[in-house]
Amino acid sequence: MKSIVVYCGSSPGTNPIYKEVARELGEKFAKKNIRLIYGGGNLGLMGTVADAVLTNGGQVTGVIPNFLAALEVAHQTLTELHFVETMHERKFKMVQFARGVIALPGGYGTMDELFEILAWRQLKLYDGPIGVLNVNGFYDLMLQQLDRMVDDGFLKAENRELLIVSDSIDELLMKIEGYWAQTF
Protein backbone atom coordinates (compact mmCIF):
# COMPACT_ATOMS: atom_id res chain seq x y z
CA MET A 1 0.00 0.00 0.00
CA LYS A 2 2.34 2.66 -1.27
CA SER A 3 -0.17 5.36 -2.25
CA ILE A 4 -3.76 6.33 -1.51
CA VAL A 5 -6.03 8.94 -3.07
CA VAL A 6 -7.77 11.18 -0.57
CA TYR A 7 -10.95 12.98 -1.59
CA CYS A 8 -11.93 15.80 0.76
CA GLY A 9 -13.23 19.32 1.02
CA SER A 10 -11.55 22.43 -0.27
CA SER A 11 -13.16 23.99 2.80
CA PRO A 12 -12.20 23.15 6.38
CA GLY A 13 -15.85 22.79 7.43
CA THR A 14 -17.35 24.38 10.52
CA ASN A 15 -16.35 21.75 13.08
CA PRO A 16 -12.62 21.79 14.00
CA ILE A 17 -12.63 17.98 14.26
CA TYR A 18 -12.57 17.71 10.45
CA LYS A 19 -9.32 19.64 10.16
CA GLU A 20 -7.82 17.71 13.08
CA VAL A 21 -8.63 14.35 11.48
CA ALA A 22 -7.23 15.52 8.11
CA ARG A 23 -4.00 16.49 9.89
CA GLU A 24 -3.87 13.17 11.73
CA LEU A 25 -4.44 11.22 8.51
CA GLY A 26 -1.57 13.09 6.86
CA GLU A 27 0.72 12.35 9.80
CA LYS A 28 -0.14 8.63 9.63
CA PHE A 29 0.46 8.53 5.88
CA ALA A 30 3.94 9.97 6.41
CA LYS A 31 4.68 7.57 9.27
CA LYS A 32 3.57 4.56 7.20
CA ASN A 33 5.33 5.78 4.03
CA ILE A 34 2.04 6.06 2.15
CA ARG A 35 2.18 8.62 -0.65
CA LEU A 36 -0.80 10.97 -0.64
CA ILE A 37 -2.46 11.43 -4.02
CA TYR A 38 -4.99 14.25 -4.01
CA GLY A 39 -6.44 17.15 -5.97
CA GLY A 40 -3.42 19.44 -5.61
CA GLY A 41 -5.10 22.31 -3.76
CA ASN A 42 -3.83 24.33 -0.83
CA LEU A 43 -7.21 25.15 0.73
CA GLY A 44 -9.41 23.47 3.32
CA LEU A 45 -9.01 19.84 4.27
CA MET A 46 -7.08 19.26 1.04
CA GLY A 47 -4.35 21.66 2.12
CA THR A 48 -4.39 20.37 5.69
CA VAL A 49 -3.82 16.72 4.80
CA ALA A 50 -1.11 17.61 2.25
CA ASP A 51 0.70 19.92 4.66
CA ALA A 52 0.62 17.27 7.39
CA VAL A 53 2.17 14.65 5.10
CA LEU A 54 4.88 17.07 3.96
CA THR A 55 5.62 18.40 7.47
CA ASN A 56 6.19 14.83 8.63
CA GLY A 57 8.56 13.91 5.81
CA GLY A 58 6.08 12.18 3.52
CA GLN A 59 5.48 12.31 -0.21
CA VAL A 60 2.55 14.09 -1.88
CA THR A 61 1.39 14.00 -5.49
CA GLY A 62 -1.20 16.55 -6.55
CA VAL A 63 -3.26 16.57 -9.73
CA ILE A 64 -4.95 19.86 -10.57
CA PRO A 65 -6.74 21.24 -13.61
CA ASN A 66 -5.11 24.29 -15.17
CA PHE A 67 -8.18 26.46 -14.54
CA LEU A 68 -7.92 25.85 -10.77
CA ALA A 69 -4.17 26.40 -10.78
CA ALA A 70 -4.79 29.75 -12.51
CA LEU A 71 -6.98 30.76 -9.56
CA GLU A 72 -3.89 30.35 -7.34
CA VAL A 73 -5.26 27.41 -5.39
CA ALA A 74 -2.49 24.99 -6.40
CA HIS A 75 -0.27 23.87 -3.54
CA GLN A 76 3.26 25.12 -4.24
CA THR A 77 5.46 22.77 -2.18
CA LEU A 78 4.31 19.27 -3.18
CA THR A 79 6.64 16.42 -4.07
CA GLU A 80 4.95 16.30 -7.49
CA LEU A 81 2.24 18.42 -9.07
CA HIS A 82 0.60 17.32 -12.33
CA PHE A 83 -1.46 19.72 -14.42
CA VAL A 84 -4.40 18.48 -16.49
CA GLU A 85 -7.09 20.15 -18.57
CA THR A 86 -10.31 18.79 -17.08
CA MET A 87 -11.81 17.49 -13.85
CA HIS A 88 -12.36 14.14 -15.58
CA GLU A 89 -8.66 13.88 -16.41
CA ARG A 90 -7.85 14.77 -12.81
CA LYS A 91 -9.99 11.98 -11.36
CA PHE A 92 -8.64 9.40 -13.81
CA LYS A 93 -5.00 10.36 -13.24
CA MET A 94 -5.32 10.36 -9.44
CA VAL A 95 -6.56 6.77 -9.29
CA GLN A 96 -3.93 5.63 -11.78
CA PHE A 97 -1.30 6.59 -9.20
CA ALA A 98 -2.99 4.93 -6.21
CA ARG A 99 -3.72 1.59 -4.57
CA GLY A 100 -6.79 2.78 -2.68
CA VAL A 101 -9.16 5.65 -2.01
CA ILE A 102 -10.26 7.35 1.20
CA ALA A 103 -12.94 10.02 1.40
CA LEU A 104 -12.94 12.53 4.23
CA PRO A 105 -15.80 15.00 4.67
CA GLY A 106 -16.40 17.37 1.79
CA GLY A 107 -18.99 18.88 -0.53
CA TYR A 108 -20.18 18.24 -4.06
CA GLY A 109 -16.69 17.58 -5.42
CA THR A 110 -15.95 14.98 -2.78
CA MET A 111 -19.30 13.26 -3.34
CA ASP A 112 -18.78 13.34 -7.10
CA GLU A 113 -15.37 11.72 -6.79
CA LEU A 114 -16.56 9.13 -4.27
CA PHE A 115 -19.59 8.02 -6.25
CA GLU A 116 -17.72 7.98 -9.55
CA ILE A 117 -14.99 5.71 -8.15
CA LEU A 118 -17.67 3.46 -6.60
CA ALA A 119 -19.38 3.21 -10.00
CA TRP A 120 -16.01 2.40 -11.62
CA ARG A 121 -15.43 -0.29 -9.01
CA GLN A 122 -18.90 -1.74 -9.56
CA LEU A 123 -18.20 -1.86 -13.31
CA LYS A 124 -14.74 -3.36 -12.67
CA LEU A 125 -12.98 -0.34 -14.16
CA TYR A 126 -11.10 0.14 -10.89
CA ASP A 127 -9.97 -2.68 -8.60
CA GLY A 128 -8.75 -0.99 -5.43
CA PRO A 129 -10.39 -0.56 -2.03
CA ILE A 130 -12.60 2.46 -1.39
CA GLY A 131 -13.18 3.76 2.12
CA VAL A 132 -14.85 6.61 3.92
CA LEU A 133 -13.57 8.01 7.17
CA ASN A 134 -16.87 8.67 8.89
CA VAL A 135 -15.64 11.55 11.04
CA ASN A 136 -18.24 12.82 13.51
CA GLY A 137 -20.92 10.73 11.76
CA PHE A 138 -20.52 12.87 8.63
CA TYR A 139 -21.45 10.02 6.30
CA ASP A 140 -24.26 8.49 8.42
CA LEU A 141 -27.11 9.79 6.27
CA MET A 142 -25.35 8.82 3.03
CA LEU A 143 -24.86 5.30 4.38
CA GLN A 144 -28.56 5.14 5.24
CA GLN A 145 -29.34 6.20 1.67
CA LEU A 146 -27.11 3.44 0.29
CA ASP A 147 -28.97 0.93 2.46
CA ARG A 148 -32.27 2.30 1.13
CA MET A 149 -30.97 1.86 -2.41
CA VAL A 150 -30.34 -1.82 -1.61
CA ASP A 151 -33.76 -2.22 0.08
CA ASP A 152 -35.54 -0.63 -2.89
CA GLY A 153 -33.67 -2.74 -5.45
CA PHE A 154 -31.47 -0.09 -7.05
CA LEU A 155 -28.17 -1.30 -5.64
CA LYS A 156 -27.05 -4.90 -5.18
CA ALA A 157 -25.97 -5.81 -1.67
CA GLU A 158 -22.56 -6.98 -2.92
CA ASN A 159 -22.00 -3.58 -4.53
CA ARG A 160 -23.04 -1.82 -1.32
CA GLU A 161 -20.27 -3.81 0.39
CA LEU A 162 -17.66 -2.27 -1.94
CA LEU A 163 -17.52 0.73 0.39
CA ILE A 164 -15.33 0.29 3.47
CA VAL A 165 -16.50 2.45 6.39
CA SER A 166 -14.82 3.37 9.67
CA ASP A 167 -14.69 6.28 12.07
CA SER A 168 -11.09 5.37 12.97
CA ILE A 169 -8.07 6.17 10.81
CA ASP A 170 -6.13 3.14 12.08
CA GLU A 171 -9.03 0.76 11.48
CA LEU A 172 -9.70 2.14 8.00
CA LEU A 173 -6.02 1.82 7.00
CA MET A 174 -5.98 -1.72 8.41
CA LYS A 175 -9.06 -2.64 6.36
CA ILE A 176 -7.52 -1.19 3.21
CA GLU A 177 -4.28 -3.11 3.83
CA GLY A 178 -6.36 -6.22 4.50
CA TYR A 179 -8.09 -5.82 1.15
CA TRP A 180 -4.77 -6.19 -0.68
CA ALA A 181 -3.68 -9.07 1.58
CA GLN A 182 -6.87 -10.99 0.65
CA THR A 183 -6.63 -10.14 -3.04
CA PHE A 184 -3.16 -11.60 -3.56
Side-chain angles (χ1 to χ4, degrees):
M1 196 171 67
K2 298 287 184 202
S3 59
I4 294 178
V5 171
V6 173
Y7 301 142
C8 59
S10 60
S11 167
T14 57
N15 188 328
I17 194 169
Y18 301 130
K19 189 172 182 177
E20 177 58 30
V21 168
R23 184 193 53 72
E24 184 181 342
L25 181 65
E27 290 171 356
K28 291 195 180 201
F29 271 30
K31 182 178 179 182
K32 292 178 171 279
N33 288 323
I34 299 170
R35 177 182 285 265
L36 168 65
I37 312 296
Y38 86 118
N42 63 3
L43 303 172
L45 299 185
M46 290 173 63
T48 299
V49 70
D51 287 342
V53 173
L54 293 168
T55 299
N56 289 279
Q59 303 289 307
V60 179
T61 297
V63 181
I64 192 165
N66 288 320
F67 78 92
L68 286 178
L71 296 173
E72 298 181 9
V73 298
H75 200 295
Q76 299 300 310
T77 61
L78 303 178
T79 311
E80 293 181 322
L81 183 58
H82 298 265
F83 296 92
V84 295
E85 288 303 313
T86 69
M87 296 295 280
H88 293 290
E89 288 177 82
R90 175 199 224 180
K91 291 185 280 188
F92 181 71
K93 192 170 197 84
M94 286 193 311
V95 296
Q96 283 183 313
F97 289 136
R99 301 287 292 161
V101 170
I102 292 175
L104 295 175
Y108 283 151
T110 302
M111 294 299 156
D112 169 64
E113 291 167 324
L114 176 60
F115 280 100
E116 184 165 14
I117 199 65
L118 282 167
W120 289 3
R121 179 76 196 287
Q122 177 179 314
L123 296 169
K124 300 185 181 359
L125 300 173
Y126 174 74
D127 67 349
I130 303 164
V132 295
L133 191 55
N134 194 21
V135 178
N136 196 37
F138 182 83
Y139 284 105
D140 286 352
L141 294 175
M142 181 195 79
L143 297 170
Q144 289 176 22
Q145 181 62 43
L146 295 179
D147 292 338
R148 169 88 187 258
M149 292 162 68
V150 172
D151 292 344
D152 287 355
F154 292 103
L155 181 64
K156 293 180 181 176
E158 62 265 22
N159 290 328
R160 167 64 176 87
E161 297 303 316
L162 296 176
L163 185 61
I164 302 166
V165 180
S166 180
D167 61 359
S168 158
I169 293 171
D170 291 329
E171 180 184 52
L172 186 58
L173 291 175
M174 184 178 68
K175 287 180 177 183
I176 289 172
E177 289 172 9
Y179 169 87
W180 287 115
Q182 292 174 354
T183 303
F184 295 103

